[in-house]
Amino acid sequence: MSPRPQIDLDRRQLLQFTALFGGAAALAACSGPSVSSDVSGGAATEAATDWASVTPAKEITWWSNHPGASRPVEEELIRRFTAESGINVNLVTAGANYDEVAQKFQAATGTGNGPDVVVASDVWWFRYMINGQTLPMDQIAEHLGFDTADYNETLYSDYRFKDAHWAVPYARSTPLFYYNKDAWAAAGLPDRSPETWDEFMEWAPKLAAGGITPLGLGKGTSWAAWWFCNFLWGRGGAYSDEWTMTLDTPEALDAAKFVQSMIFEDRVAAIAATDNAVDFGAGLTGCTIASTGSLTGILKAAKFEVGTGFLPAGPEGPACPTGGTGVAISADRTPEQQLAAGMFLRFLTSTDSTAYFSSNTGYMPVRTSARDSSIMAEVYAKSPQFRTAVDQLETTRVQDWGRVFVPGGDKELTTALESIILQQGDPATAFATASTAIQRSFEQNVEPYL
Amino acid sequence: MEQVTDTPVVSGGPRERTGHRSPPSTPAAGPAPRPVQRRRRTPWKAWLLFLLFAGPNVALLVIFTYKPLLQSLYYSTLQWNIGSAVAMPVGFQNYADWFTDPTTPRIIAVTLVFTLATVGGGMVIGLLLALVLNRRLRGTGAARTVVVAPYVLSGVAVGLLWLFVFDPNFGVTAALLRLVGLASPDWYNDPQWALAMVIVVYLWKNVGYVALIYLAALQSVPRDLVEAASIDGATSLRSFRSIVLPLLGPTTFFLAITTLLTSLQSFDIIQAMTKGGPLGGTTTMMYQIYQEGFQSGRAGYSSAVATILFAVLLLVTFAQLKYVDRKVHY
């Protein structure tokens, strides 16, 4: 055996060690956030910047995940903007999805290495706001002459809090009902989506007789709790009433039980192993609920004719959430960079750019003028499926705060829903656990900052 | 008695290191008086040399290891939304929250199962592979390369690759099971199967490392000992159990520590394959640190979990050094 090392510190060494440790601890405490027992008012304010006296920067950076495989579309829009304004835009792939972009954006804040423009999805823009990471848009939009009245009102209002807008709509989507027209025809069903879930339940056995799973649903964060809004709201329930969780209501429990019975009792629905849109495109399921942003991909992948329709209504009527992403300006930049970023957003969400983006991706046109433009009219004529999301917009509503505004809200709801739809867990227990966690997160991570 | 030397001594036990020798003492004389020591001064050239060689490494360790470690410790006492410029001091509340959270027992259980399966399984399979590869057979060289190759691959790439293998509709496992009339397990939707899946993939990727280290150790086992035992009538199994295995003790000890530390910190395969799901069935403590810090934005809480994991790793390593090290024959 080799001799065992002994730790034999004398007084001087002990003092040196203590000083080293203390110094390092002090160094650690020096960086990071400023600490205070009062953290309210964390959101950035519209400081009275005299935008007229600011000269826009010549170069800005945009962090995007290129929703709907839109990188070539975004590059083309940047090329057009640079040709028009002389401002260069560095397009950075900051993640594969909204969550990954958000994680990097949060980590980069305060380092000076963040973007000037960042995508701000439905579950992230609020967090950016309370953290003071994004700029309120109203003053700069007014200065630059954004035609904000032309934005779809629901989509623009999604970013409103404390009498200000914290992003502008960009790649906005809703869930759509996709169906396999061949399977529909084989089952002798009319060529349309079911108007209600009750009607779907009547149709499902005919589809199942054809040897396919009638309905495919997805799981995972940023997804399961999104499509479940349709069932939840359609039966009169909600995740929350502003900051108060309402998952213990009979309506909410009824919605969960209905979905559960579709899967485990009636066996007319199944949860996809990985991607329900891929399973649908491969012909494994007769219909599915997927984002409008998946439309182009599904149309390319499917070897059958694809139909789209509104999400089926519940007993309380039609219900559809909005989703997707807006774009926001970082608060952590110079006025010159922010002004250039504002000019870019004005261009990116202009009528022509919106129509170009929507026609190439399937995302909804966020401007009324773009929706009614000749470009979109051609698209609707060629592929009527694109029209469905636009028409369905009338039935959409802003999402419940408990899911999209509370850190971890979507994750907790996803865990509850996965318990219900994967393991036939008791909805009351699953929802109670999620509600407690979300309420605590609100009290710790939101309330003090408001 | 005073003895001072100007020659720096850099090796040896603690006494030798000081360069002085205690005088012999007798019971009649009682305890010898403590000699007066004068600290010898290290020549400035020696300091310069030390700084030149060790300085960059020490600086990197301080900047990228010790400072973040201490920062994490500090953040664990804060209520801090990552990205926010302000935070609230909350003392040990984050720790109290973790220990009382209803999901914590599940996360501990998942972490334990994953760690025991990957460390234990990895050691056993690695040793068996090393024993096979240690034989002088045709194609052993190619087999060694094949076994070790996955270890050098990126964890994310491995995870994505195995996603296809385990796909219950289109995957290889499903196809093989269909051949014998069985349905594929629900790898992605059942928490237990999902955990089994990531364990299998982790083992596939990392077992080559264990096999490689064991192979090197096996090749240093003196052949004469094994041959002598054989002449004395010992069976192969007896030789392995009584000679080879004890001689592999230091290697086993080394591997136990390194694979345990790696396993407890594994992230990439889980992120690529299951993202901690379904139902948190593959959420280890390491993955929870990421989820809480970057998905939920709770940097203080996440730092508290990181500190707890750090303490666990420290305790386990110390326990291994203290208790297991004594049983190893060098």
Side-chain angles (χ1 to χ4, degrees), chain A residues 146-309:
Chain A
F146 279 51
D147 186 2
T148 53
D150 186 40
Y151 285 131
N152 177 283
E153 194 182 340
T154 308
L155 301 181
Y156 188 44
S157 301
D158 276 345
Y159 306 108
R160 186 180 174 85
F161 194 81
K162 281 190 171 178
D163 298 326
H165 292 83
W166 299 86
V168 290
Y170 168 55
R172 297 304 308 272
S173 57
T174 65
L176 274 187
F177 188 89
Y178 292 83
Y179 63 98
N180 180 334
K181 288 196 174 193
D182 295 354
W184 242 239
L189 300 175
D191 184 14
R192 62 173 174 83
S193 64
E195 288 179 0
T196 65
W197 283 113
D198 288 341
E199 187 175 42
F200 171 78
M201 294 303 286
E202 288 170 19
W203 292 2
K206 295 175 188 170
L207 289 164
I212 56 170
T213 304
L215 173 66
L217 295 169
K219 64 177 193 299
T221 51
S222 287
W223 180 243
W226 193 46
W227 60 253
F228 185 69
C229 289
N230 165 255
F231 293 94
L232 184 64
W233 296 345
R235 301 183 102 78
Y239 290 123
S240 68
D241 177 9
E242 294 201 342
W243 300 118
T244 306
M245 296 306 292
T246 54
L247 282 169
D248 56 351
T249 60
E251 293 83 0
L253 297 175
D254 181 44
K257 284 173 185 163
F258 177 74
V259 176
Q260 205 171 44
S261 68
M262 288 171 86
I263 298 166
F264 296 102
E265 290 167 26
D266 302 308
R267 299 188 179 277
V268 297
I271 306 301
T274 50
D275 188 333
N276 60 300
V278 171
D279 284 1
F280 172 73
L284 294 178
T285 54
C287 60
T288 194
I289 296 175
S291 167
T292 49
S294 303
L295 179 56
T296 307
I298 287 176
L299 289 176
K300 278 182 187 167
K303 291 184 172 57
F304 51 83
E305 200 177 347
V306 176
T308 57

Side-chain angles (χ1 to χ4, degrees), chain A residues 135-150:
Chain A
L135 194 72
M137 290 295 303
D138 302 80
Q139 279 185 11
I140 197 168
E142 188 180 345
H143 168 72
L144 291 170
F146 279 51
D147 186 2
T148 53
D150 186 40

Side-chain angles (χ1 to χ4, degrees), chain B residues 257-277:
Chain B
I257 291 181
T258 53
T259 56
L260 181 80
L261 296 180
T262 313
S263 171
L264 275 169
Q265 296 177 75
S266 65
F267 173 81
D268 46 8
I269 288 172
I270 294 173
Q271 169 70 0
M273 296 192 77
T274 60
K275 293 185 167 50

Side-chain angles (χ1 to χ4, degrees), chain A residues 29-41:
Chain A
C30 281
S31 53
S34 61
V35 176
S36 166
S37 55
D38 179 14
V39 293
S40 60

Side-chain angles (χ1 to χ4, degrees), chain A residues 67-152:
Chain A
S70 60
R71 183 170 184 118
V73 182
E74 289 178 341
E75 284 172 340
E76 172 59 19
L77 287 170
I78 287 171
R79 193 192 61 73
R80 293 179 188 180
F81 172 68
T82 303
E84 180 185 292
S85 66
I87 298 170
N88 291 314
V89 181
N90 300 318
L91 180 62
V92 175
T93 305
N97 52 48
Y98 301 137
D99 291 354
E100 287 184 12
V101 177
Q103 287 157 24
K104 288 187 181 69
F105 181 54
Q106 292 188 110
T109 297
T111 64
N113 294 316
D116 302 288
V117 176
V118 63
V119 293
S121 81
D122 56 347
V123 296
W124 286 102
W125 73 263
F126 184 83
R127 236 179 292 180
Y128 296 165
M129 186 275 287
I130 58 168
N131 287 345
Q133 292 173 276
T134 48
L135 194 72
M137 290 295 303
D138 302 80
Q139 279 185 11
I140 197 168
E142 188 180 345
H143 168 72
L144 291 170
F146 279 51
D147 186 2
T148 53
D150 186 40
Y151 285 131
N152 177 283

